[in-house]
């Protein structure tokens, strides 16, 4: 039994790689569940995306929870009256108790240093956040077995050749953008006129199904009445170059 929030970008590749049969849907949720059935807690090493999910294993009678590599999709948890609760927002869990105990250290870190979501601690002493790249099992007795399935490696190697570095970065951006646009609904892009969104639009324009906006690619941008804050002129230049249907708010 699965509860899933997010997107698995490479679910189509996983479907082909592991030859999942008799699927009832075209969803990444079903692929994720099949992946867990086959590999158990090892399933997370195959995932690319942003996700937070919980799976109840009826045979082991244990709950498995995991979040993506960077914790983009949050998962908060707490124990209350001998029951285990999870949620995507801590304020929902805080409503379980009439008198919450506040975590003054975390509040101080936020107000004094601007730190937020830097540890598993939250503003509430009894509510915790599952950190990025982590997963855990919870059994019926409330015992938690937590493990880290991914960690950002420190890279000491330096590429001295500029052309090699440029091609390598572009190839990675191309692969990431390609996997991130697998969708059963039209794909849109938020444009700011900056380097990030402009680069993404340039890559998208080279895709067969998105080239120059012919297949429904729509851009969205936010503008200000105060000209000195407006980036619309940059957004319009790059959008016009690739014939993007740009919606301005």
């Amino acid at each position: 039994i699965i509860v899933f929030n997010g997107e698995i970008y490479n679910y189509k590749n996983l479907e082909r790689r592991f030859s999942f049969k008799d699927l009832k849907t075209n969803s990444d949720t079903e692929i994720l569940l099949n992946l867990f059935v086959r590999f158990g807690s090892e399933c997370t090493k195959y995932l690319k995306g942003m996700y937070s999910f919980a799976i109840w294993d009826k045979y082991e009678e244990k709950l498995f929870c995991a979040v993506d590599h960077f914790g983009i999709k949050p998962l908060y948890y707490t124990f209350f009256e001998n029951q285990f609760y999870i949620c995507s927002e801590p304020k929902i869990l805080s409503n379980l108790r009439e008198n919450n105990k506040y975590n003054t250290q975390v509040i101080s870190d936020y107000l004094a240093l601007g730190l937020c979501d830097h540890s598993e601690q939250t503003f509430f002493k009894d509510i915790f956040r599952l950190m990025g790249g982590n997963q855990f099992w919870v059994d019926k007795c409330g015992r938690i077995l937590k493990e880290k399935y991914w960690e950002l490696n420190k890279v000491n190697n330096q590429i001295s050749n500029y052309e090699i570095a440029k091609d390598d970065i572009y190839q990675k951006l191309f692969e990431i953008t390609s996997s991130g646009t697998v969708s059963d609904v039209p794909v849109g892009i938020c444009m700011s006129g900056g380097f990030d969104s402009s680069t993404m639009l340039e890559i998208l324009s080279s895709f067969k199904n998105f080239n120059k906006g012919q297949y429904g690619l729509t851009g969205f941008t936010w503008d200000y009445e105060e000209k000195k804050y407006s980036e619309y002129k940059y957004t319009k230049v790059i959008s016009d170059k690739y014939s993007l249907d740009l919606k301005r708010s």
Side-chain angles (χ1 to χ4, degrees), residues 77-187:
Y77 62 95
T78 190
F79 285 96
F80 178 67
E81 295 183 348
N82 296 321
Q83 291 188 333
F84 183 72
Y85 295 85
I86 61 172
C87 194
S88 60
E89 294 184 85
K91 66 182 180 181
I92 305 300
L93 299 178
S94 70
N95 289 333
L96 295 170
R97 298 178 176 84
E98 292 184 2
N99 298 305
N100 287 285
K101 297 178 180 178
Y102 298 104
N103 192 324
T104 55
Q105 182 58 58
V106 175
I107 294 173
S108 176
D109 289 344
Y110 175 70
L111 294 176
L113 305 174
L115 295 177
C116 183
D117 298 331
H118 58 296
S119 76
E120 65 177 14
Q121 304 291 320
T122 70
F123 291 149
F124 306 97
K125 280 191 174 182
D126 298 313
I127 300 176
F128 305 92
R129 177 189 174 107
L130 184 58
M131 299 300 291
N134 280 265
Q135 58 192 31
F136 62 67
W137 287 95
V138 185
D139 64 20
K140 291 198 301 181
C141 297
R143 292 176 295 217
I144 294 182
L145 178 61
K146 190 182 299 183
E147 59 184 351
K148 194 175 188 66
Y149 71 85
W150 181 86
E151 189 171 10
L152 182 63
N153 296 322
K154 294 182 179 179
V155 180
N156 295 318
N157 297 330
Q158 294 184 352
I159 301 176
S160 57
N161 187 297
Y162 171 76
E163 292 300 324
I164 293 177
K166 183 179 69 173
D167 291 342
D168 186 52
I169 291 174
Y170 188 88
Q171 183 61 32
K172 290 184 183 301
L173 287 173
F174 188 92
E175 293 172 359
I176 292 170
T177 304
S178 178
S179 64
T181 53
V182 176
S183 175
D184 53 4
V185 295
V187 174

Side-chain angles (χ1 to χ4, degrees), residues 213-225:
Q214 296 179 56
Y215 297 91
L217 179 64
T218 302
F220 301 89
T221 189
W222 182 266
D223 197 14
Y224 298 93
E225 292 183 359

